[in-house]
Amino acid sequence: MAELSILLLRACLALLAMPIYLLCFLGLWKPFCEKICFPYVLEKISGVHEKKSKPHKQELFSNLPNFTGPSGELKLLEIGTGLGANFQFYPPGCKVTCTDVSHNFQQGLLRNMGKNQHLHYEDFLVTTGEDLRQVPSSSVDVVVGTLVLCSVGSVDQTLREVRRVLRPGGAFYFLEHVAADPSSWKYFWQQVCFPTWKLIFCGCCLTREIWKNLEQAKFSELKVKHISVPLPWTPIQPHIVGYAVK
């Protein structure tokens, strides 16, 4: 009965979003979404998300200096940098390399770089989390990814790349929305929204159990906390937060 209800509600949601599905069929939605729609919507949503998640991020990033390399500098690589919302949490003098799949967040990114001049911005690489070939192996102290593993093509391949670029003893910091408890109403609505949400939000998947990928990624140490970031009327909850050491 639940499966039938999910299918019916998915169909209703698809009807409401029919113009988007039509544009997708014609090959017009993806370029419009990536260049205009998604950056605009992300900036609006990220403002709300940042207010709600700020205490969790402050706690998460508080021990970043502990992973400073032997050179005395903290070299940090951020995957899926987006608008640069995490810059405010990085310690002074941190050397930051940014990566994202496109340049379409440039306006917001430059604005946040201007607000956070306590950092040294080294490079911006246009690439996916699954392909960090431009970054040498064992070359960074910390990798950061927040709200990015939900939309990568392969979580496992991304984590393999993260482990490769980290120096031994380096750490991967994460904050991600994940699948709800399968017996909950939250999970039911995640299932309903999944196809249309993924289309509108450039591949964002609502039902990934990312903590399981982290557990299988062969880090030497893993600290994961399941948290609630209250975002009413959205299916992007609950969340996990923590870090993993190579």
Side-chain angles (χ1 to χ4, degrees):
M1 185 66 181
E3 291 182 1
L4 180 59
S5 299
I6 289 170
L7 289 174
L8 288 173
L9 288 169
R10 278 183 177 179
C12 292
L13 196 56
L15 283 173
L16 291 172
M18 185 58 67
I20 294 175
Y21 278 91
L22 180 59
L23 288 172
C24 184
F25 177 76
L26 296 173
L28 300 175
W29 172 251
K30 187 175 181 180
F32 172 77
C33 182
E34 290 179 351
K35 292 179 181 178
I36 299 173
C37 181
F38 187 55
Y40 175 81
V41 173
L42 181 64
E43 188 159 6
K44 299 302 179 184
I45 291 179
S46 67
V48 177
H49 191 277
E50 286 307 310
K51 288 179 183 178
K52 301 289 187 179
S53 64
K54 187 171 183 178
H56 298 292
K57 286 190 176 183
Q58 287 174 325
E59 180 182 357
L60 171 65
F61 293 123
S62 62
N63 70 339
L64 270 176
N66 294 348
F67 293 98
T68 299
S71 66
E73 299 174 330
L74 181 66
K75 296 181 179 179
L76 184 149
L77 171 74
E78 182 164 357
I79 57 175
T81 305
L83 303 168
N86 294 325
F87 293 161
Q88 61 183 303
F89 303 106
Y90 300 159
C94 178
K95 291 190 171 183
V96 181
T97 297
C98 305
T99 76
D100 210 297
V101 294
S102 76
H103 285 295
N104 295 319
F105 305 108
Q106 188 172 19
Q107 187 175 352
L109 180 64
L110 290 173
R111 185 165 57 248
N112 274 316
M113 289 173 71
K115 290 179 181 178
N116 295 280
Q117 297 186 22
H118 63 289
L119 306 176
H120 297 299
Y121 301 100
E122 295 208 300
D123 205 353
F124 182 91
L125 308 175
V126 180
T127 188
T128 64
E130 301 98 313
D131 182 10
L132 299 174
R133 69 180 72 181
Q134 299 175 70
V135 184
S137 299
S138 304
S139 64
V140 297
D141 304 305
V142 168
V143 177
V144 173
T146 59
L147 303 181
V148 64
L149 294 180
C150 61
S151 56
V152 297
S154 169
V155 176
D156 291 333
Q157 176 58 26
T158 299
L159 293 177
R160 281 193 289 270
E161 279 289 85
V162 167
R163 287 185 66 252
R164 181 186 65 78
V165 303
L166 279 172
R167 65 166 176 81
F172 171 52
Y173 284 73
F174 55 86
L175 187 154
E176 300 286 345
H177 68 84
V178 294
D181 185 322
S183 63
S184 68
W185 277 108
K186 285 182 183 179
Y187 187 74
F188 174 84
W189 287 110
Q190 284 179 335
Q191 292 282 83
V192 170
C193 295
F194 182 92
T196 300
W197 183 274
K198 186 176 182 180
L199 178 64
I200 294 174
F201 292 97
C202 290
C204 175
C205 296
L206 295 170
T207 56
R208 286 184 171 173
E209 298 175 324
I210 295 171
W211 67 91
K212 293 183 179 180
N213 300 93
L214 286 160
E215 289 168 356
Q216 297 167 6
K218 299 180 180 178
F219 286 100
S220 65
E221 180 183 352
L222 175 62
K223 295 185 180 296
V224 181
K225 185 191 296 185
H226 292 254
I227 62 171
S228 174
V229 178
L231 296 166
W233 309 108
T234 75
I236 51 171
Q237 48 184 318
H239 289 63
I240 57 170
V241 63
Y243 64 92
V245 181
K246 179 177 176 179

